Amino acid sequence: MKLFVLFASIILLCFFDVKAQNNFARTEFSLSDNNWKVWPDSSAVWQNDSLYLPRTLNLLSIPNNPPTGGWQNLAQQKATETKIPASLEEIFGNGDPSWRYHGVSWFYRDIDIPSDWNGKTVMLHIEKFRQRIEIYINGKLAGYDIVAETPIDVDVSKYLKAGQKNQIAFRLTNPGGQRGWDDSPTTDWGNRYKLIPGHDFTGLGNVSLTATANTYISDIFVKNLPPAGSNCIEIQVEIANKENNGKTLQLEFEIVSASSSEIIRHEKQEITVKQNGVTSFIRQISVPEAKLWDLDSPNLYFCRVKISGNELVDETSERFGFRVFEARANEKGENNFYLNGKRIRIRSASDWGYYW
């Protein structure tokens, strides 16, 4: 009898282990550390490049731009080791405010990708960059953006090799810009383009990798709704499904105090997710017990969202505050700014901490 119970226990353990493997949890891996190398590729030609905007972007039509001398040359460079976030001016300028570098530079590193990421969706998140970024994974172009100093998320699943060492390399191009307070002149990209005004530096913000199942929460946005003080919000959730079949899932969301971890609202419902696409969920709710965010009391909350079902679980959250900012006229017709229904006066000062 004891042998039978032991055997049955082993069977159950094996069963739950398989279920746990199918229930792949979201995993985030920060790459913001000291393991990067940076190399100014001063011989690279860039002035006559064609530029591509996000809405017209097709990676297959964009030329590949390997390092000068080829990928093997990048590995052999006596590159400077660095951390990120970083800028070229910080690394090589030695505190000289007149130091300039216009052209191509590379930020690159190797990373071991876990074997259990095989077949999963892996997103590369870059907090900000300047001016153009070309993303290479193992020597292949995996992403591109020219809209500088904004976040970018790139699906790099098919470029990574699970269970192996992988190379991530960012090719950054700085065409020039402004170094003073005058932001009005446009920035010339060779003789082909005029870009909107911008500051003159090459830089890279925080970088991370996130691995999920192939059905996952791709975005959460919390929008405050008027009237002021009503604590009304609109929760917008996007669920991406890369599989060839639709799914019926359980969707749950919670509003959680960032300071006390108290759950002040919890709701759930079924949602049908379409195949090979993105399904949106929108819900407006009022949370009267929540505390307002204002300048003296910056109360914050998390909107935590979870999907489950069909041996799938994914969970992530977005931080926000309950607040309504308005620009409107008073009874005299005077236009003013209001925060949570109370008039505010905005004061500012010159801030020279722009450069990262």
Side-chain angles (χ1 to χ4, degrees):
M1 183 66 181
K2 290 182 179 180
L3 287 176
F4 174 79
V5 172
L6 177 61
F7 179 73
S9 300
I10 293 173
I11 294 289
L12 286 171
L13 285 172
C14 291
F15 172 77
F16 284 117
D17 183 58
V18 170
K19 296 279 284 187
Q21 291 175 9
N22 291 336
N23 244 347
F24 185 83
R26 174 180 292 249
T27 306
E28 183 169 347
F29 184 31
S30 173
L31 300 180
S32 299
D33 53 28
N34 297 309
N35 296 317
W36 291 83
K37 294 182 179 180
V38 58
W39 173 54
D41 191 353
S42 56
S43 299
V45 178
W46 56 274
Q47 292 89 340
N48 296 318
D49 286 354
S50 295
L51 302 181
Y52 305 89
L53 294 174
R55 291 184 181 178
T56 61
L57 186 62
N58 181 358
L59 284 182
L60 297 178
S61 66
I62 298 177
N64 276 245
N65 292 308
T68 299
W71 287 104
Q72 70 281 357
N73 190 43
L74 187 66
Q76 296 167 2
Q77 286 297 323
K78 293 182 179 178
T80 300
E81 294 185 356
T82 186
K83 63 173 179 61
I84 60 169
S87 68
L88 229 64
E89 290 67 22
E90 171 194 3
I91 297 168
F92 298 108
N94 296 317
D96 180 0
S98 64
W99 190 88
R100 300 285 192 277
Y101 179 81
H102 297 157
V104 172
S105 56
W106 291 87
F107 283 80
Y108 59 102
R109 64 169 293 172
D110 290 335
I111 177 175
D112 291 314
I113 297 298
S115 57
D116 64 351
W117 286 18
N118 184 42
K120 306 303 178 183
T121 293
V122 183
M123 301 296 295
L124 173 69
H125 174 75
I126 302 171
E127 179 186 39
K128 54 185 175 179
F129 59 90
R130 189 181 186 280
Q131 167 78 56
R132 177 182 67 180
I133 188 168
E134 296 162 89
I135 300 166
Y136 288 89
I137 307 292
N138 297 320
K140 295 182 179 180
L141 182 64
Y144 176 103
D145 203 355
I146 190 67
V147 185
E149 300 164 58
T150 58
I152 176 176
D153 291 288
V154 178
D155 187 343
V156 295
S157 312
K158 66 181 181 181
Y159 302 97
L160 292 172
K161 299 175 182 177
Q164 300 182 38
K165 191 177 293 295
N166 292 253
Q167 183 193 64
I168 298 177
F170 301 135
R171 186 179 190 261
L172 296 174
T173 308
N174 172 27
Q178 293 301 113
R179 272 296 179 91
W181 57 269
D182 186 359
D183 293 341
S184 57
T186 58
T187 300
D188 292 330
W189 186 288
N191 296 319
R192 297 197 61 185
Y193 301 98
K194 287 189 177 296
L195 306 182
I196 61 173
H199 288 257
D200 183 9
F201 68 97
T202 303
L204 186 66
N206 289 300
V207 178
S208 63
L209 288 171
T210 301
T212 65
N214 290 322
T215 303
Y216 59 97
I217 302 164
S218 56
D219 192 31
I220 303 173
F221 178 68
V222 181
K223 179 170 70 174
N224 279 279
L225 302 174
S230 64
N231 284 12
C232 290
I233 57 174
E234 181 175 277
I235 300 171
Q236 303 175 10
V237 179
E238 291 187 348
I239 302 171
N241 181 19
K242 295 167 63 176
E243 299 185 357
N244 294 324
N245 58 293
K247 302 178 185 223
T248 299
L249 302 174
Q250 186 86 356
L251 184 145
E252 300 178 63
F253 68 86
E254 296 174 336
I255 306 301
V256 185
S257 169
S259 59
S260 67
S261 299
E262 177 188 3
I263 300 173
I264 62 174
R265 177 63 61 86
H266 177 267
E267 295 190 17
K268 61 182 179 180
Q269 72 170 67
E270 282 191 348
I271 182 171
T272 300
V273 178
K274 61 186 176 182
Q275 64 183 33
N276 292 318
V278 176
T279 300
S280 297
F281 166 85
I282 299 177
R283 171 72 66 81
Q284 293 183 4
I285 63 171
S286 176
V287 191
E289 62 269 39
K291 298 177 181 178
L292 291 176
W293 184 102
D294 61 33
L295 299 176
D296 296 322
S297 303
N299 298 298
L300 292 173
Y301 292 83
F302 287 101
C303 178
R304 189 158 61 205
V305 179
K306 176 182 178 181
I307 56 173
S308 58
N310 300 104
E311 300 183 0
L312 164 76
V313 174
D314 188 31
E315 182 179 319
T316 186
S317 62
E318 185 70 24
R319 191 177 67 170
F320 73 100
F322 288 88
R323 58 187 177 183
V324 173
F325 180 80
E326 301 169 283
R328 56 181 171 84
N330 60 16
E331 62 277 2
K332 298 180 181 180
E334 302 167 334
N335 290 295
N336 297 301
F337 294 115
Y338 293 82
L339 177 63
N340 298 331
K342 297 179 181 179
R343 183 186 173 186
I344 59 172
R345 292 175 170 82
I346 297 178
R347 301 178 177 87
S348 64
S350 295
D351 180 10
W352 293 86
Y354 181 89
Y355 296 97
W356 308 78

